[in-house]
Amino acid sequence: MPQPTSPGDYADFYRQSIAPDTREAFWLEQARAIDWHQAPQQACDYHNPPFARWFADGQLNLCHNAVDRHLAQRADQPAIIAVSTETNTERVYTFAQLHEEVQRMAAVLQSFGVGKGDRVQIYMPMIAEAAFAMLACVRLGAIHSVVFGGFASVSLASRIDDAQPKVVISADAGSRGGKAIAYKPLLDEALQLAKHKPAAVLLVDRGLAPMPLQAGRDHLWSTLRTQPQFSEAKVPCTWLNSSDPSYILYTSGTTGKPKGVQRDTGGYAVALASSMQHIFAGQAGQTFFCTSDIGWVVGHSYIVYGPLIAGMATIMYEGLPTRPDAGIWWSLVEKYRISHMFSAPTAVRVLKKQDPAYLKKYDLSSLQALWLAGEPLDQPTAQWISGALQVPIIDNYWQTETGWPILTLCNGVEQQTSRFGSPGKAVYGFNVKLIDEATGQALTEPNQKGVLAMEGPLPPGCLQTVWGDDERFVNTYWSSIPGRQIYSTFDWGIQDADGYYFILGRTDDVINVAGHRLGTREIEESISSHNGIAEVAVVGVADKLKGQVAMAFAVARDANQVATAEGQAALEAEVMKQVDSQLGAVARPARVLFVNLLPKTRSGKLLRRALQAVAEQRDPGDLTTMEDPTALNQVKELLATA
Ligand code: AMP
């Protein structure tokens, strides 16, 4: 397969990727890294900004690039290595076996009437069938919407109503720390709650939890998979236009309604293939281990599509990093000769608390580097893991919206040294600017704090729009800087004199718990739907292990109910249970503290920022707009004893 050459001079490589006179040629060259049914003649169509159409006249299929294309050269090489320390199973699928499984699942989906443009919701644990499901969808040109297995019924239902899937694919249960977490009851409840009713539900039965089936709607994968019309099925790839959507992935914003990030097909394939080469320096035949979950963007890009497009084996891991012991990941590195590892700072902080001997126990000589993303990587954590592994530790900063890193070190182009605390430099294709929030002007001096923004067009791989809502796409991302149509990341940043960026936290009410992005509005909506709660404010508070945790400050409907410590504890437990069952444990606040009133402006706007500052023992800043100046006193007292 033709591979674009790496020139070895990153500054020049970067310039070529964004300069108007070289951008077309640069990206058409990158496009050669994938297999096209019809090769594109044009790279970017940007006649209708901020909507960018990449490789618009090209035709391809993502599944073909991830699976079929490798059959000629590496049919018997491992493609998916599914390891579960929850069920003590390890299953290896070669590219040939993956090809068969994906065709079986595609044939089953076809039998339910799924075809090009139809949506399929995937609500699954980290098992190989989840990857089969994703690949089967894109094989047919169907649009998958994977919902993280940690989400519960209300989150699921709102995503079902937004994406309107024809079919849902799920399983009886996930498992965490040896405890089965039944998915089917949550799914049944979501299907009750949702207005939209999918025609069919396909279920993988792992034998972990009872799973009553609804006749006519629910179907077992294990039964269908072996029926001759499916087991022997040959399902050709449907050729798609490059701009046809491949998937929707919901992410939290500042409103209660999650945004469906819509990804194209061709731009995404090119971005991933190119990143596998220029960011990860990955080679076909090597093994990639991304410890994320398919429910997150990192899982889409670097558990499933990226490594497979590159002809690498990918590890799908279900389990904790510390079970059966803290050596489990390193034992996998040794066993499968893992060359590339990708995780999150929280996981490293968890491992840092364990016996360091585990890191010495295994042969880690196959490992080239460790990439970390999803949340700020603090220096002590980076230094510790760097010392322990003796390989480059590479921070990378991105968002669900972009699909691949915005900031990192592109060591596949030119070797650069990590500066701990910084995710690195702008990645090629991303025309990154720091913007003065008030004036909308780009900052030109080093070390000035501004909003991290990107000039359009965004590079291939980034969101095309918000599913079903072009207006929201423009209003949310491209209209927040005064007088400018520029994409806002809603992160603060600074850049040093050498071009290294540092991320200084969000400009909005989105919080980041252990690398998982959560909207405080969603959590507030769930809490205030409890009968006992009159009002609530949720803020993110700094946490040593998870980066941030959610903390709720609530006003009870009946003050008597929370007049005693017992009453408070009981209502707090009820509220947490409600969040668990509606949104999932991932969104559960660390504490729910009861106050008589919340800090608000005179116009009634919640002063979340002031609450957060007080909760982090910082100065809350200018409070002249606050309606009742005493509102923070009780919060301070509570926190002193909490
Ligand atoms: P998500 O869309 O869930 O991937 O969350 C994206 C957000 O996570 C970004 O806007 C940042 O606030 C944060 N984030 C992701 N990666 C990093 C990183 N390497 N360093 C600092 N913050 C990060």
Side-chain angles (χ1 to χ4, degrees):
M1 80 192 64
Q3 291 287 329
T5 50
S6 301
D9 174 353
Y10 185 67
D12 185 51
F13 192 75
Y14 178 75
R15 195 195 58 74
Q16 286 187 43
S17 74
I18 57 167
D21 58 332
T22 48
R23 192 174 69 205
E24 280 289 303
F26 179 93
W27 286 106
L28 284 173
E29 175 69 12
Q30 298 304 311
R32 294 176 55 215
I34 63 158
D35 251 15
W36 294 91
H37 179 62
Q38 183 183 301
Q41 303 303 312
Q42 188 192 1
C44 186
D45 167 4
Y46 201 49
H47 78 274
N48 181 27
F51 298 91
R53 295 172 77 227
W54 282 96
F55 313 112
D57 58 342
Q59 287 192 340
L60 76 160
N61 183 285
L62 210 48
C63 183
H64 167 84
N65 274 279
V67 184
D68 303 44
R69 129 194 234 200
H70 301 301
L71 296 176
Q73 280 176 27
R74 50 187 65 87
D76 298 327
Q77 179 191 303
I80 290 183
I81 301 168
V83 177
S84 173
T85 49
E86 298 290 334
T87 55
N88 290 320
T89 47
E90 291 193 16
R91 294 184 295 170
V92 179
Y93 296 88
T94 63
F95 278 98
Q97 289 166 329
L98 178 60
H99 185 233
E100 283 179 10
E101 294 290 354
V102 169
Q103 291 188 91
R104 285 178 191 134
M105 203 170 282
V108 169
L109 290 177
Q110 270 181 330
S111 77
F112 296 145
V114 173
K116 186 180 163 190
D118 291 328
R119 275 80 59 209
V120 173
Q121 191 184 47
I122 298 173
Y123 177 57
M124 292 180 93
M126 283 291 290
I127 52 177
E129 287 82 354
F132 305 163
M134 293 165 78
L135 291 162
C137 287
V138 295
R139 189 171 190 86
L140 299 173
I143 302 166
H144 60 67
S145 161
V146 181
V147 179
F148 175 56
F151 284 131
S153 55
V154 171
S155 308
L156 265 173
S158 68
R159 287 155 173 81
I160 290 172
D161 278 335
D162 195 70
Q164 312 225 325
K166 204 168 227 180
V167 172
V168 176
I169 309 179
S170 189
D172 59 337
S175 180
R176 199 169 161 79
K179 207 170 139 245
I181 301 161
Y183 281 23
K184 183 68 177 6
L186 297 174
L187 177 62
D188 283 341
E189 204 181 316
L191 291 169
Q192 282 274 324
L193 289 171
K195 288 190 197 73
H196 172 81
K197 306 291 174 197
V201 177
L202 181 64
L203 293 151
V204 176
D205 189 358
R206 310 174 69 196
L208 294 178
M211 186 166 60
L213 301 181
Q214 184 176 310
R217 186 196 70 182
D218 296 351
H219 306 265
L220 279 180
W221 166 240
S222 53
T223 311
L224 295 179
R225 186 181 164 276
T226 50
Q227 291 177 4
Q229 75 268 36
F230 301 123
S231 65
E232 305 294 325
K234 299 280 170 267
V235 181
C237 290
T238 301
W239 300 118
L240 300 182
N241 291 325
S242 176
S243 293
D244 288 337
S246 56
Y247 67 76
I248 308 166
L249 181 56
Y250 288 89
T251 189
S252 301
T254 46
T255 67
K257 189 174 182 281
K259 291 181 290 248
V261 164
Q262 178 185 317
R263 195 91 64 213
D264 75 347
T265 297
Y268 189 50
V270 171
L272 291 184
S274 166
S275 73
M276 291 310 296
Q277 190 183 357
H278 300 304
I279 295 179
F280 298 101
Q283 306 284 334
Q286 292 183 319
T287 303
F288 203 100
F289 178 18
C290 172
T291 70
S292 182
D293 185 285
I294 47 133
W296 308 114
V297 67
V298 173
H300 281 61
S301 294
Y302 296 115
I303 294 176
V304 182
Y305 294 114
L308 293 178
I309 286 173
M312 298 169 86
T314 182
I315 308 258
M316 288 184 75
Y317 178 76
E318 183 190 46
L320 301 176
T322 48
R323 196 171 169 272
D325 61 47
I328 177 64
W329 284 359
W330 316 120
S331 76
L332 295 177
V333 172
E334 178 181 285
K335 179 166 181 187
Y336 293 107
R337 305 293 299 155
I338 290 166
S339 49
H340 296 66
M341 218 169 141
F342 191 134
S343 192
T346 294
V348 178
R349 287 193 288 266
V350 166
L351 292 173
K352 192 171 162 215
K353 292 175 139 193
Q354 310 289 322
D355 186 346
Y358 285 117
L359 277 147
K360 300 228 156 51
K361 203 171 153 192
Y362 299 97
D363 173 10
L364 306 181
S365 58
S366 58
L367 201 60
Q368 290 178 10
L370 170 68
W371 284 264
L372 296 170
E375 51 175 321
L377 172 62
D378 56 287
Q379 271 195 34
T381 303
Q383 241 137 17
W384 174 76
I385 193 71
S386 166
L389 291 179
Q390 295 291 317
V391 295
I393 305 301
I394 305 171
D395 190 356
N396 58 118
Y397 159 89
W398 43 305
Q399 307 185 304
T400 305
E401 287 83 351
T402 64
W404 63 298
I406 304 165
L407 303 175
T408 191
L409 297 181
C410 295
N411 285 344
V413 181
E414 182 187 354
Q415 277 295 325
Q416 297 179 81
T417 325
S418 290
R419 214 164 267 192
F420 291 151
S422 160
K425 300 182 180 178
V427 168
Y428 59 96
F430 289 94
N431 193 352
V432 178
K433 294 276 174 344
L434 285 171
I435 302 290
D436 181 315
E437 194 190 25
T439 66
Q441 297 298 310
L443 302 173
T444 46
E445 294 298 313
N447 302 319
Q448 285 180 295
K449 179 175 167 180
V451 179
L452 197 86
M454 271 115 59
E455 300 276 8
L458 297 181
C462 295
L463 82 166
Q464 291 181 290
T465 185
V466 171
W467 173 255
D469 202 343
D470 285 350
E471 211 175 294
R472 194 172 177 200
F473 170 65
V474 178
N475 290 343
T476 305
Y477 295 105
W478 298 89
S479 312
S480 70
I481 311 282
R484 300 282 306 275
Q485 194 182 63
I486 188 166
Y487 175 94
S488 175
T489 62
F490 300 100
D491 281 303
W492 295 111
I494 55 168
Q495 189 185 22
D496 71 12
D498 301 321
Y500 285 78
Y501 285 88
F502 293 79
I503 302 297
L504 306 174
R506 296 282 301 191
T507 66
D508 60 8
D509 294 323
V510 165
I511 63 172
N512 193 316
V513 179
H516 303 327
R517 172 163 154 192
L518 299 168
T520 50
R521 280 297 310 147
E522 275 173 89
I523 307 176
E524 285 171 2
E525 279 177 19
S526 171
I527 295 178
S528 47
S529 68
H530 187 285
N531 282 337
I533 302 295
E535 229 189 339
V536 65
V538 172
V539 295
V541 177
D543 180 82
K544 276 204 177 73
L545 189 66
K546 297 180 174 177
Q548 274 188 315
V549 290
M551 191 168 285
F553 295 90
V555 179
R557 224 173 258 287
D558 176 4
N560 290 328
Q561 198 185 351
V562 290
T564 61
E566 293 75 37
Q568 289 178 12
L571 190 53
E572 179 174 20
E574 270 184 41
V575 164
M576 289 195 178
K577 212 168 132 203
Q578 168 142 326
V579 175
D580 277 9
S581 70
Q582 290 192 347
L583 303 181
V586 65
R588 183 199 305 153
R591 287 300 312 268
V592 182
L593 300 175
F594 295 98
V595 291
N596 299 328
L597 85 163
L598 291 168
K600 285 188 188 164
T601 61
R602 279 181 215 108
S603 55
K605 210 167 171 269
L606 265 175
L607 284 165
R608 290 194 188 79
R609 224 66 43 100
L611 261 181
Q612 184 187 39
V614 169
E616 292 181 342
Q617 293 169 343
R618 286 185 287 112
D619 177 4
D622 181 10
L623 296 176
T624 46
T625 58
M626 195 155 97
E627 189 183 22
D628 182 339
T630 64
L632 285 171
N633 295 352
Q634 196 192 2
V635 172
K636 283 183 196 158
E637 281 165 26
L638 274 173
L639 288 164
T641 52

